Amino acid sequence: MKTNLTVSAVQQPCDADKQTNLNLSITKIHEAKNLGADLVVLPELHLGPYFCQSEDYQLFATAEPIPGPTTSVLADVAKELDVVIVSTIFEKRAPGLYHNTAVIFDKDGSIAGKYRKMHIPDDPGFYEKYYFTPGDIGFKPIETSVGKLGVMVCWDQWFPEGARLMALAGAELLIYPTAIGWDPDDTEAEKKRQLDAWITIQRAHAVANGIPVIACNRIGFEQSPIDTNTGIDFWGNSFITGPQGEVLVSANATEQKILTCEIDKARNEKVRQIWPYLRDRRIDEYGDITKRFID
């Protein structure tokens, strides 16, 4: 298993129809492979516009089984290019039961594993609880030919517990496909605070666990289907860090970009030797962490 990995995150718009978006993703995977990528990460729900801005039962018809049509296409791409791919799909598990699911394709075209989004938001413009059942697979890294990948999805990135559990289970990378943006009515100061918080919390996951982080967001303004005066301005700013939270490569808020860099997994152990957080954890005193609130 390679120690030095070339990883790519595809920052792209996702506001077109399904086939156009999928074709764009595949084109970008090819470009990433030409840059030497062993692993390519796509944004959250990259097959279409972010549909959770409204609650519309007709949209359940867009969900797919896993395996299904899209996974078949991406599996072929992974095998053709000899690359690991991380995609997220609106999964139809059973009638009336749906998930926001990351699917990890190994280099041989097989589905190495999947992760169902655990933390489901429900906020104005982000009505995900209407569509997605919380994940029930747990925080389990996916074993692939490039290592054990701790894949989570978007809202999961704000919770240190998930990152820690992935690390404790042996994850060598933390990966967050994402669809997050601003309300256009927010002030510039508020937009900066939100973006800084998003970057900071994920860099902190790298620091606290001694492993790299890949955060892959979409770009572009997507108008609300229920109010033409509102929508979400997806803020991009995808980035990749090393195990000390150092930013190795990043994008701005608007550019369509393939972020690519080399990660030396051997550094994870060296960093943990000088910052041995796992050694010094007081697991005997953490019992209350499973409570909703300590009254």
Side-chain angles (χ1 to χ4, degrees):
M1 192 173 294
K2 293 175 62 175
T3 297
N4 292 320
L5 297 178
T6 300
V7 300
S8 292
V10 176
Q11 179 167 289
Q12 67 172 80
C14 304
D15 56 355
D17 63 274
K18 176 181 176 180
Q19 192 59 53
T20 299
N21 285 339
L22 180 57
N23 289 345
L24 176 58
S25 293
I26 291 171
T27 295
K28 296 304 177 184
I29 295 169
H30 277 264
E31 293 177 10
K33 179 62 180 181
N34 289 336
L35 295 171
D38 300 294
L39 166 69
V40 183
V41 180
L42 301 170
E44 179 187 18
L45 299 172
H46 61 97
L47 294 179
Y50 180 73
F51 55 87
C52 304
Q53 291 197 64
S54 66
E55 297 181 353
D56 183 353
Y57 76 92
Q58 297 181 82
L59 292 173
F60 288 110
T62 65
E64 298 184 24
I66 299 172
T70 298
T71 62
S72 177
V73 171
L74 290 174
D76 288 345
V77 174
K79 185 174 182 179
E80 174 193 354
L81 299 180
D82 191 39
V83 67
V84 175
I85 299 172
V86 177
S87 169
T88 55
I89 291 171
F90 185 17
E91 177 190 7
K92 180 179 180 179
R93 184 176 180 182
L97 185 61
Y98 307 86
H99 296 280
N100 185 341
T101 303
V103 185
I104 297 84
F105 303 88
D106 216 332
K107 291 185 174 186
D108 62 359
S110 65
I111 293 179
K114 60 187 177 184
Y115 168 86
R116 292 179 175 137
K117 187 173 183 176
M118 295 285 277
H119 302 95
I120 311 297
D122 188 50
D123 300 296
F126 295 87
Y127 300 112
E128 295 198 12
K129 280 186 167 64
Y130 179 77
Y131 297 100
F132 308 133
T133 299
D136 55 0
I137 297 174
F139 298 101
K140 298 179 181 178
I142 306 300
E143 187 76 57
T144 73
S145 57
V146 298
K148 297 181 75 171
L149 308 181
V151 181
M152 291 168 278
V153 180
C154 200
W155 192 232
D156 294 322
Q157 63 208 0
W158 297 96
F159 296 85
E161 296 89 348
R164 176 69 90 203
L165 287 169
M166 283 290 193
L168 291 176
E172 298 170 280
L173 295 171
L174 296 177
I175 298 173
Y176 295 100
T178 297
I180 190 169
W182 296 297
D183 181 333
D185 290 335
D186 286 338
T187 66
E188 291 305 312
E190 176 60 18
K191 290 179 180 179
K192 184 178 186 304
R193 286 191 292 267
Q194 291 178 10
L195 177 59
D196 285 349
W198 180 76
I199 293 171
T200 300
I201 191 69
Q202 291 179 94
R203 291 182 65 190
H205 296 331
V207 174
N209 295 290
I211 49 179
V213 166
I214 301 174
C216 183
N217 195 16
R218 64 171 69 192
I219 54 171
F221 177 75
E222 296 181 18
Q223 183 176 289
S224 168
I226 58 177
D227 185 349
T228 57
N229 295 315
T230 63
I232 301 174
D233 188 11
F234 291 95
W235 66 43
N237 278 277
S238 303
F239 64 93
I240 301 171
T241 80
Q244 291 169 296
E246 70 276 22
V247 176
L248 303 175
V249 61
S250 62
N252 65 27
T254 60
E255 63 186 327
Q256 190 172 153
K257 183 176 180 179
I258 301 172
L259 292 76
T260 301
C261 66
E262 187 173 85
I263 288 177
D264 179 6
K265 292 195 299 179
R267 279 200 63 229
N268 295 357
E269 183 172 7
K270 295 176 182 177
V271 168
R272 285 180 172 180
Q273 288 169 350
I274 60 172
W275 286 345
Y277 302 132
L278 300 188
R279 181 197 69 189
D280 294 341
R281 294 175 64 243
R282 286 296 307 276
I283 58 175
D284 53 322
E285 295 292 341
Y286 295 162
D288 283 346
I289 199 70
T290 59
K291 294 181 179 180
R292 179 67 63 187
F293 189 76
I294 302 172
D295 295 300

